[in-house]
């Protein structure tokens, strides 16, 4: 693998969630919003707006995202997932096809990964409530009390009637680690059905590229420096993206510091311990063929840490990864070693070696 020592002197480009978008063509048909505690931007290219009927797809895409967020959020009452949580231990809840598919995939990956990714972790995330007004370090007894409620094998799915049932009162789903990726996939399907050949979907820490730049080359997606303190040091470099998703997970995005102990707690939780994963990784970017896969594997690989995570990525076709460690080093999977570009962002010397 390639290791690069990371300096902190970087250049400024436009922020798009946890990554950055490079080399934008002039004049895209574009709309921005802020939803799910994250910026959303959709850009469509090569359309003569407003004369091309496909320009209306931009509003249709946002209507779709707003509807999905309303149905999948666990932060407000009235959605499908929150109804499932409210009916835990009481009765199954019938949901729409896309919701059932998303939950089915989420539970499959939760079981497959032995809980490194866990869609049934909602009772724990609600207890910590990081990034909300109620965020706090729960007591050990509170954490121990919810651990039995985090078992994804106790989520009962009935595909014949599209119902979801949580077997015990207090169990809760939380799809925050997968929903944004699937939203991007559904928007990409919408655009593909109407022959939109070039677009960029930016949803929080995810960038989904449909097609490439005007000349057919890949987009260059910038990777954020977790220790950035000014606009001059925001990037560590860029990676290419063409008909793929890039998803970034990191300890620096959502966290809080305990007032009494100064202990920092990030938002990616270990369902075995009830605490955030202890890892040597500060930031992980996964490149995958779909947003859903990018979201899932960004959590799984992050939880594994650098050594096991890199081994896992190299063994799985279609995945690439860029790790930034607590020691301020960058590690690249084999498919990114010849395409990662510092682009002059680093002002200090760096070392490249293969191991």
């Amino acid at each position: 693998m390639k290791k690069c020592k990371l300096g902190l002197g970087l250049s400024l480009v436009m922020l798009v969630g946890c990554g950055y978008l490079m080399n934008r063509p002039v004049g895209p048909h574009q709309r921005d919003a802020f939803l799910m505690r994250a910026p959303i931007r959709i850009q469509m290219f090569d359309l003569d707006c407003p004369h091309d009927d496909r320009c209306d797809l931009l509003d249709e895409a946002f209507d779709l995202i707003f509807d999905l967020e309303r149905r999948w959020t666990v932060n407000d009452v009235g959605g499908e997932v929150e109804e499932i949580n409210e009916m835990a231990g009481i009765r199954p809840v019938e949901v729409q096809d896309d919701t059932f598919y998303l939950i089915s995939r989420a539970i499959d990956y939760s079981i497959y990964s032995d809980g490194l990714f866990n869609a049934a972790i909602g009772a724990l995330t609600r207890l910590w409530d990081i990034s909300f007004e109620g965020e706090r370090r729960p007591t050990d007894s509170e954490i121990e009390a919810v651990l039995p409620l985090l078992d994804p094998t106790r989520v009962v799915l009935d595909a014949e009637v599209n119902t979801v049932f949580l077997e015990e009162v207090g169990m809760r789903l939380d799809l925050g680690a997968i929903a944004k990726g699937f939203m991007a996939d559904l928007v990409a399907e919408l655009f593909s059905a109407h022959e939109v050949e070039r677009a960029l979907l930016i949803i929080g820490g995810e960038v989904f590229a449909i097609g490439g730049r005007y000349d057919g080359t890949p987009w260059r997606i910038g990777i954020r420096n977790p220790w950035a303190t000014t606009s001059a040091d925001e990037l560590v470099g860029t990676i290419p993206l063409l008909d793929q998703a890039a998803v970034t997970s990191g300890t620096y995005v959502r966290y809080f510091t305990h007032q009494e102990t100064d202990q920092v707690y990030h938002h990616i939780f270990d369902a075995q311990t009830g605490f955030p994963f202890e890892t040597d990784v500060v930031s992980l970017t996964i490149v995958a063929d779909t947003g859903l896969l990018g979201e899932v594997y960004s959590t799984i690989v992050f939880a594994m840490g650098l050594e096991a995570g890199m081994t896992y990525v190299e063994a799985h076709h279609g995945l690439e990864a860029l790790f930034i460690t607590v020691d301020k080093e960058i590690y690249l999977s084999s498919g990114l070693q010849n395409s990662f570009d510092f682009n002059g962002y680093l002002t200090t010397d760096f070392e490249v070696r293969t191991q």
Side-chain angles (χ1 to χ4, degrees), residues 5 20 41 70 75 93-94 99 155 158 164-165 173 201 217 220 257 285 298-299 305 315 335 348 350-351:
K5 291 192 176 178
Y20 297 75
R41 168 168 292 178
R70 177 187 60 80
N75 301 318
V93 174
E94 184 178 353
T99 303
V155 179
D158 189 334
V164 182
F165 178 55
L173 295 177
L201 317 175
T217 58
R220 299 297 306 188
T257 303
T285 298
S298 69
T299 299
T348 58
F350 61 91
E351 173 188 354

Side-chain angles (χ1 to χ4, degrees), residues 11-78:
S11 299
L12 172 67
V13 293
M14 185 181 71
L15 175 66
V16 291
C18 295
Y20 297 75
L21 170 63
M22 303 296 298
N23 300 317
R24 285 192 301 130
V26 176
H29 186 44
Q30 173 178 310
R31 181 175 168 185
D32 298 280
F34 192 87
L35 192 67
M36 301 171 292
R37 294 170 293 167
I40 298 175
R41 168 168 292 178
I42 298 179
Q43 297 175 312
M44 303 169 66
F45 303 96
D46 307 326
L47 301 182
D48 181 18
C49 296
H51 307 293
D52 193 320
D53 290 341
R54 292 176 296 173
C55 299
D56 293 338
L57 291 173
L58 190 59
D59 289 336
E60 188 174 340
F62 271 90
D63 289 343
L64 173 62
I65 291 172
F66 294 150
D67 176 61
L68 297 176
E69 194 277 339
R70 177 187 60 80
R71 291 192 281 119
W72 297 346
T73 184
V74 295
N75 301 318
D76 295 302
V77 297

Side-chain angles (χ1 to χ4, degrees), residues 321-335:
L322 184 152
F323 298 79
I324 302 178
T325 71
V326 295
D327 296 325
K328 298 181 180 178
E329 296 173 334
I330 299 174
Y331 290 79
L332 304 166
S333 62
S334 56

Side-chain angles (χ1 to χ4, degrees), residues 53-164:
D53 290 341
R54 292 176 296 173
C55 299
D56 293 338
L57 291 173
L58 190 59
D59 289 336
E60 188 174 340
F62 271 90
D63 289 343
L64 173 62
I65 291 172
F66 294 150
D67 176 61
L68 297 176
E69 194 277 339
R70 177 187 60 80
R71 291 192 281 119
W72 297 346
T73 184
V74 295
N75 301 318
D76 295 302
V77 297
E80 290 177 295
V81 175
E82 189 55 26
E83 183 180 0
I84 293 169
N85 292 339
E86 291 173 354
M87 293 296 105
I90 300 173
R91 64 170 175 83
V93 174
E94 184 178 353
V95 297
Q96 295 187 38
D97 289 346
D98 50 12
T99 303
F100 187 85
Y101 176 82
L102 175 61
I103 294 174
S104 298
R105 295 296 303 275
I107 296 303
D108 286 345
Y109 281 110
S110 299
I111 296 171
Y112 157 78
S113 67
D114 290 327
L116 295 182
F117 171 89
N118 190 347
I121 204 168
L124 182 65
T125 55
R126 191 183 200 187
L127 185 63
W128 284 81
D129 215 19
I130 289 182
S131 295
F132 290 91
E133 291 183 2
E135 67 180 10
R136 65 187 179 90
R137 197 283 198 191
T139 65
D140 290 348
S141 59
E142 287 177 314
I143 292 172
E144 290 174 4
V146 302
L147 291 182
L149 302 175
L150 312 182
D151 184 355
T153 66
R154 302 188 66 191
V155 179
V156 180
L157 304 170
D158 189 334
E160 291 188 1
V161 289
N162 269 19
T163 59
V164 182

Side-chain angles (χ1 to χ4, degrees), residues 148-334:
L149 302 175
L150 312 182
D151 184 355
T153 66
R154 302 188 66 191
V155 179
V156 180
L157 304 170
D158 189 334
E160 291 188 1
V161 289
N162 269 19
T163 59
V164 182
F165 178 55
L166 309 182
E167 289 187 333
E168 185 171 343
V169 173
M171 290 184 67
R172 292 180 59 84
L173 295 177
D174 186 337
L175 304 180
I178 191 174
K180 296 183 184 72
F182 190 43
M183 288 178 183
D185 293 341
L186 292 177
V187 173
E189 289 180 8
L190 172 68
F191 286 178
S192 176
H194 290 82
E195 299 181 343
V196 175
E197 296 180 352
R198 295 203 309 126
L200 282 166
L201 317 175
I202 302 159
I203 304 179
E206 172 172 337
V207 181
F208 194 109
I210 300 173
R213 294 185 291 188
Y214 67 95
D215 59 358
T217 58
W219 300 97
R220 299 297 306 188
I221 305 300
I223 305 301
R224 182 176 177 180
N225 169 13
W227 294 276
T229 57
T230 69
S231 60
D233 64 1
E234 287 190 278
L235 291 186
V236 300
T238 67
I239 59 174
L241 201 65
L242 180 68
D243 289 319
Q244 290 175 303
V247 179
T248 298
S249 294
T251 62
Y252 62 95
V253 180
R254 290 172 50 201
Y255 63 91
F256 82 99
T257 303
H258 193 273
Q259 291 183 349
E260 297 179 3
T261 65
D262 287 331
Q263 175 72 40
V264 176
Y265 297 99
H266 62 79
H267 72 294
I268 307 175
F269 287 98
D270 184 346
Q272 299 299 317
T273 67
F275 288 88
F277 282 105
E278 295 183 6
T279 176
D280 52 0
V281 177
V282 175
S283 174
L284 168 69
T285 298
I286 290 286
V287 177
D289 290 336
T290 69
L292 186 149
L293 291 177
E295 292 274 17
V296 167
Y297 285 115
S298 69
T299 299
I300 292 174
V301 175
F302 178 91
M304 290 179 172
L306 173 63
E307 185 174 355
M310 183 66 81
T311 300
Y312 184 90
V313 169
E314 296 290 10
H316 286 73
H317 177 74
L319 292 183
E320 300 295 343
L322 184 152
F323 298 79
I324 302 178
T325 71
V326 295
D327 296 325
K328 298 181 180 178
E329 296 173 334
I330 299 174
Y331 290 79
L332 304 166
S333 62
S334 56

